Structure formats: C-alpha cells, structure tokens
Amino acid sequence: MDEVALIGEAQRGDLDSFNRLVLAYQELAYNLALRMLDDEASAEDATQMAFISAYRHMNTFRGGSFKAWVMRMVTNTCYDELRRQKRRPTTPLEPINDEDDEEIESPYWMADDHNPTPEQALDQRELEGAIQHCLADLPDDFRAVVIMVDVEGLDYQEVSDATGKPLGTVKSRLARARVKMRDCLQGFWELLPVSFRLKLEERA
Amino acid sequence: MKQNFQLSPKEWQLLSAYLDGVVSPRERIQIEKKLDSEDSFRQALQSLRQTRTVIRSMPRRRVPRNFTLTPEMVQVRQPARIFPVLRFSSAFAAIAAVILFAIQLLPTSMKAAAPIAPPAALEMSAAAAPASTEPPLIFWGEPAARAEKGMGGGGGGDGTAFGMGGAADSSAYAATPSIQFVIPQTTSEPGVGGESEPLVEAPAPAATENAAPPLAAAPLEATPSVEEGTVEPLQEAPATPAPSRSQSTLAGNPVLGLNLQESGKIIAESQPLETAQSLETEKKQIPLRSLLLPAAIGLSVLALLMAIAAFILWKKSHL
C-alpha cells in the first residue's frame, strides 16, 4: 500500500495504517528530537508524544509532504519540551564531601558543560559530541532548521512546511546557523584526526 | 576553517543558498562573478562547505524502540460529567452579574422619578398627629431634615417661598387642632409671619385662585388670630380665616402637590404607623441593595477568571 492510501486509512481512524507510517518515519523523527533536545530519554518521550499528537490530528493534514508534516509535529513537541525545561531547569546531582559538607571543587565539576575545552569535548564524544555541543548553542529556531536541512536532508520547501515559516526565513536562519556552527567548530577542527580531516575536505 | 571573512549577512545567505543550489539564475551569475574576482568570497564558500560536510557527518542513531501506537495510547479520555456545567459557568456568571447590575440600577431610577410623594406623606402624617399643648411640627423634605420640637425653621423653608403660617401665635394651635401646617415659630419670626410677599410670590397664582373657593367648603375651623387682609385672595373668602389661607396656599403648593380636598382626606385617613412601617421597610431594603453591587462585581471577576481558565484549558487540549 502506498503512502497516500495509508494516510487516507489513518485519517479514517485505522491505527494499523498509521503505525505503518510511524515505522517509516520514526527514525527521522527520533533523530530530529535527539538533536534538538540532546537527551535520549527526552527524545524518546518527545517522539512518542509527537506520533500520538499526529494520530489525533490526522484530519488536519491537507496533503503535501507527509514527512514535513510529521517533522512539524516533532518540532512542536520539542519546542514544548524545551520551554518546559527552561521553566523548570533541572540541576544535576553533585557529590557532597561527607566530612565538611562542601562541594568538591574539582576541575571536573567546575567546568562549564557548554564551554568545554576542545580536548575534553573530543575525548568525550569526539566529532559527534563537538557537533552536538555546537548545535546546542544555537537558538532553538536555528537549530531546528540546520538539523532538518544538513542532518535529516530535508529540502527548503519541506523545512518551510515543517516550521511554518516562509522560504526566505528558512534561508536566512540556515545561513546564520551555518556561520555560527562554522565559528563554533573552528576550535575542534585542528583536533580532528588528520585522516578524518582530509576525508572531510575531500567530500567538501 | 580558521579564516575570518568580512561578509555581510546577505552575502552569507546567498553563499549558503548557492551551496544548496537554491538561488535564482540572476543570483547565481552574481555569486559566480564574485567567486571569480574575490578570493575571500571563495574561501568563505569553502568554509561553509566544510561546515556542512562536518554536520552531515553526524551519525544517525537507530531508534531504541518502535514508536507504534496502541489503542490505549490514543484513547480519548472522556471528560468529566461536570465539564458541561463548568464549560458554561463563565457565561452564567457573566449573565448573573449583568442582571445584578441592572437590579442595582433599577430601584435608583424609580426612586429618583418620584421625589415628591414621600415629603407629602410625611407632611400629612405629621398633620394627622393629635394636637397637644406642644406646638405641632411641620416636616419638609426628607425625614433627616426633621426639626426638633419647637424649631420652626422647617416650616416654609426660608419664609419667602410660600409664606406659610399666617402669623398664628401659639394659642391658635390649640384652637385649630385639624390645621397643623402652622409654623410653630412665634409671630415675631420673619419669614413665617403673615407677610404678603410670600403669597405674591406663590409659584402658581391660578392655583391659588382655584384653591380659594373650596376653602369655604372645607371643614376647617377658623383661626381668628390670623390677620386678615394680608392676602388678597383670602379676603374674597370671608368665611375662611387665615388658617384656611395657609391651607389654600398649601393646596397651590407645587411641592406638596395636593389640593385642599385631597389633603383633608389624607389627613383624616392617614396613620403615622403606616408611614413608620414604610420607612422601616425602606431601611431594611438598603442593606440588601448595598449587597447587590459587591455580588455583581464578584460575579464579574468570577466570570473573567473562568473565561481565562477555559481559554487555557482549550488551548492545552488543542495542542
């Protein structure tokens, strides 16, 4: 059964048809949520919530790119989660010195997670960690656009549909996001393995 | 990737779009011309391309589990049975507030429409009081303005308006128990004496003339102490002495709004007890009425809060 038929059946309330669409797009949705939220558990929850919301609002899909429509559901769910996190920021547990009840002021705990040295970032997660770190520093709207275009491979029109913004806004946000990413990644570039750098430059 | 390029945001946007191949033919020509001529422009494009390549090199994660839905997940929760009542609570509160405001306004307008009746009733009730050795009182205006015993300032207002009294002295009151609109002031007091000016200034001369003939038929006793000849209409009624003159003046009084026959009738029938009861009833209504405004304001606030809550719930349910 093709996608259009599945969408039609799902709009009539057929859960099996909708689940087949879920299987087709769940990896895309989960990776978008993961890069947006930078947390696996939150990404899992957001993906599930997005598909539940998509099923309940299937009648609002009026044609066009179903992939973009699903991405919109995921993006909106991620925005909600990010807003919730900003309203109720969580504090990580920190070890307490039992002897004097003072926090251990080791360099590890003193380090700012958002400004790690290039060595630390590469040691922890290597290239992926560096990119994710730079993505996390972007504004939410910029991050969504650059992930959808450069990570997920959506075209400009699909991103425009997914974000509800005009094409010009998508172009502008993508360009600014890329420049910010370029500036952020400069610190990591020289620390990449030479072979890997050469490989990337060949691709570019 | 270490170079810094001084490009404008518009040029960066053009380069980024050029990288993805989403520029117009005119923009493409413009960009390629710059790429041929400006080395920094070319290096900027190269840095953007490298950045895009690095971002694209991010590995895609496999999903930790399938996100297929079960019927339980998509089951729509039935709203509570009280929800329909809550849904319209804001509207109910708003309507109740409007009704209370209207009730608050209505009695005020009715009260303002009939300002003459209460003074007349009060006056008549005062007139119906049995005569005693003490000088009778005449009440003008609201009960709050009631004068203490012996204070005659209330009668006739400033004395120039209606010229009440007819120069009666205290002995005249005992002789005329049914005529009790007499000012308890002594005759020496200006304004309440039998001066002719007040009658000349009577607001409706025609009314005075019309009221004069019934004076003869009125069952009023004469009061000899009243000085005759002070008022011309009264001279034309020889059987009607000064107290009748005061009645005739009263009958033509637009404030009291009563002719002689009516006032006599009411004087005979009116009972002070009824007036007192009506006053008490009115006093009892005042606290009740004063509660209406806070209740209406409270309901308005409640309506506003419920509307805000309903909007928030509606927005949450439509996410």
Coordinates of all heavy atoms in Angstrom, one line a residue, chain A residues 165-193:
Chain A
K165 N 7.3 28.6 8.4 CA 8.0 29.9 8.1 C 8.2 30.0 6.6 O 8.4 29.0 5.9 CB 9.3 30.0 8.8 CG 9.3 29.9 10.3 CD 8.5 31.1 10.9 CE 8.4 31.0 12.4 NZ 7.5 32.0 13.0
P166 N 8.2 31.2 6.1 CA 8.4 31.4 4.6 C 9.9 30.9 4.2 O 10.8 30.8 5.1 CB 8.2 32.8 4.4 CG 8.2 33.5 5.7 CD 7.9 32.5 6.7
L167 N 10.0 30.7 2.9 CA 11.3 30.2 2.4 C 12.5 31.2 2.7 O 13.6 30.7 3.1 CB 11.2 30.0 0.9 CG 10.7 28.7 0.4 CD1 10.6 28.7 -1.1 CD2 11.7 27.6 0.8
G168 N 12.2 32.5 2.6 CA 13.2 33.5 2.9 C 13.7 33.3 4.3 O 14.9 33.5 4.6
T169 N 12.8 33.1 5.3 CA 13.2 32.9 6.7 C 14.0 31.7 6.8 O 15.0 31.7 7.6 CB 11.9 32.9 7.5 OG1 11.1 34.0 7.3 CG2 12.3 32.8 9.0
V170 N 13.6 30.6 6.2 CA 14.4 29.4 6.2 C 15.8 29.6 5.7 O 16.8 29.2 6.4 CB 13.7 28.3 5.4 CG1 14.6 27.0 5.4 CG2 12.4 27.9 6.1
K171 N 15.9 30.3 4.6 CA 17.3 30.5 4.0 C 18.1 31.4 5.0 O 19.3 31.1 5.2 CB 17.1 31.3 2.7 CG 16.7 30.5 1.5 CD 16.7 31.3 0.3 CE 16.1 30.6 -0.9 NZ 16.1 31.4 -2.1
S172 N 17.5 32.4 5.5 CA 18.3 33.3 6.4 C 18.7 32.5 7.7 O 19.9 32.7 8.1 CB 17.3 34.5 6.8 OG 17.9 35.2 7.8
R173 N 17.8 31.8 8.3 CA 18.1 31.1 9.5 C 19.2 30.0 9.2 O 20.1 29.8 10.1 CB 16.9 30.4 10.1 CG 15.9 31.4 10.7 CD 14.7 30.7 11.4 NE 13.9 31.7 12.0 CZ 12.7 31.4 12.6 NH1 12.3 30.2 12.5 NH2 12.0 32.3 13.1
L174 N 19.1 29.4 8.1 CA 20.1 28.3 7.8 C 21.5 28.9 7.6 O 22.5 28.4 8.1 CB 19.7 27.6 6.5 CG 20.6 26.5 6.1 CD1 20.7 25.4 7.1 CD2 20.2 25.9 4.7
A175 N 21.5 30.0 6.9 CA 22.8 30.7 6.7 C 23.5 31.1 8.0 O 24.6 30.9 8.3 CB 22.7 31.9 5.8
R176 N 22.6 31.8 8.8 CA 23.2 32.2 10.1 C 23.6 31.0 11.0 O 24.6 31.1 11.8 CB 22.1 33.1 10.8 CG 21.9 34.4 10.1 CD 20.7 35.2 10.6 NE 20.9 35.7 11.9 CZ 20.0 36.4 12.6 NH1 18.8 36.6 12.0 NH2 20.3 36.9 13.7
A177 N 22.8 30.0 11.0 CA 23.1 28.8 11.7 C 24.4 28.2 11.3 O 25.3 27.8 12.1 CB 22.0 27.8 11.7
R178 N 24.6 28.1 10.0 CA 25.9 27.6 9.4 C 27.1 28.4 9.8 O 28.2 27.9 10.1 CB 25.8 27.4 7.9 CG 25.0 26.2 7.5 CD 24.8 26.2 6.0 NE 24.2 25.0 5.5 CZ 23.7 24.8 4.3 NH1 23.7 25.8 3.4 NH2 23.2 23.6 3.9
V179 N 26.9 29.7 9.8 CA 28.1 30.6 10.2 C 28.4 30.4 11.6 O 29.6 30.3 12.0 CB 27.7 32.1 9.9 CG1 28.8 33.0 10.4 CG2 27.6 32.3 8.4
K180 N 27.4 30.3 12.5 CA 27.6 30.0 13.9 C 28.3 28.7 14.1 O 29.2 28.5 14.9 CB 26.3 30.1 14.7 CG 25.8 31.5 14.9 CD 24.4 31.5 15.6 CE 23.9 32.9 15.9 NZ 24.7 33.7 16.9
M181 N 27.8 27.7 13.4 CA 28.4 26.4 13.5 C 29.8 26.4 13.1 O 30.7 25.7 13.7 CB 27.6 25.3 12.7 CG 26.2 25.0 13.2 SD 26.3 24.1 14.8 CE 27.0 22.5 14.2
R182 N 30.1 27.1 12.0 CA 31.5 27.2 11.5 C 32.4 27.8 12.5 O 33.5 27.3 12.8 CB 31.5 28.0 10.2 CG 32.8 28.2 9.5 CD 32.7 29.3 8.5 NE 32.5 30.6 9.0 CZ 33.4 31.5 9.2 NH1 34.7 31.3 8.7 NH2 33.2 32.7 9.7
D183 N 31.9 28.9 13.1 CA 32.7 29.6 14.2 C 32.9 28.6 15.4 O 34.0 28.6 15.9 CB 32.0 30.9 14.6 CG 31.9 31.9 13.5 OD1 32.7 31.8 12.6 OD2 31.1 32.8 13.6
C184 N 31.9 27.9 15.7 CA 32.0 27.0 16.9 C 32.9 25.8 16.6 O 33.7 25.4 17.5 CB 30.6 26.5 17.3 SG 30.6 25.4 18.6
L185 N 32.8 25.3 15.4 CA 33.6 24.1 15.1 C 35.1 24.4 14.8 O 35.9 23.5 14.7 CB 33.0 23.4 13.8 CG 31.7 22.7 14.1 CD1 31.0 22.3 12.8 CD2 31.9 21.5 15.0
Q186 N 35.4 25.7 14.6 CA 36.8 26.1 14.4 C 37.7 25.6 15.4 O 38.8 25.1 15.2 CB 37.0 27.6 14.3 CG 36.7 28.2 12.9 CD 36.9 29.7 12.8 OE1 37.3 30.3 13.8 NE2 36.7 30.2 11.6
G187 N 37.2 25.6 16.7 CA 38.1 25.2 17.8 C 38.3 23.7 17.8 O 39.3 23.2 18.4
F188 N 37.5 22.9 17.2 CA 37.6 21.5 17.2 C 38.3 21.0 15.9 O 38.8 19.8 15.9 CB 36.2 20.8 17.2 CG 35.4 21.1 18.5 CD1 34.5 22.2 18.5 CD2 35.7 20.4 19.6 CE1 33.8 22.4 19.7 CE2 35.0 20.7 20.8 CZ 34.0 21.7 20.8
W189 N 38.4 21.8 14.9 CA 38.8 21.4 13.6 C 40.2 20.8 13.6 O 40.5 19.7 13.2 CB 38.7 22.5 12.6 CG 39.1 22.1 11.2 CD1 40.2 22.5 10.5 CD2 38.3 21.3 10.3 NE1 40.2 21.9 9.3 CE2 39.1 21.2 9.1 CE3 37.1 20.7 10.4 CZ2 38.6 20.5 8.0 CZ3 36.6 19.9 9.3 CH2 37.4 19.9 8.1
E190 N 41.1 21.6 14.3 CA 42.5 21.1 14.3 C 42.7 19.9 15.2 O 43.8 19.2 15.0 CB 43.4 22.3 14.9 CG 43.4 23.5 14.0 CD 44.0 23.3 12.6 OE1 44.9 22.5 12.5 OE2 43.6 23.9 11.6
L191 N 41.8 19.6 16.0 CA 41.9 18.5 16.9 C 41.4 17.2 16.3 O 41.6 16.1 16.9 CB 41.2 18.7 18.2 CG 41.8 19.9 19.0 CD1 40.9 20.3 20.2 CD2 43.2 19.7 19.5
L192 N 40.8 17.3 15.2 CA 40.3 16.1 14.5 C 41.5 15.3 14.0 O 42.5 15.9 13.6 CB 39.4 16.5 13.3 CG 38.0 17.1 13.7 CD1 37.3 17.5 12.4 CD2 37.2 16.0 14.4
P193 N 41.4 14.0 13.9 CA 42.5 13.2 13.3 C 42.7 13.7 11.9 O 41.8 14.0 11.2 CB 41.9 11.8 13.4 CG 40.9 11.8 14.4 CD 40.3 13.2 14.4

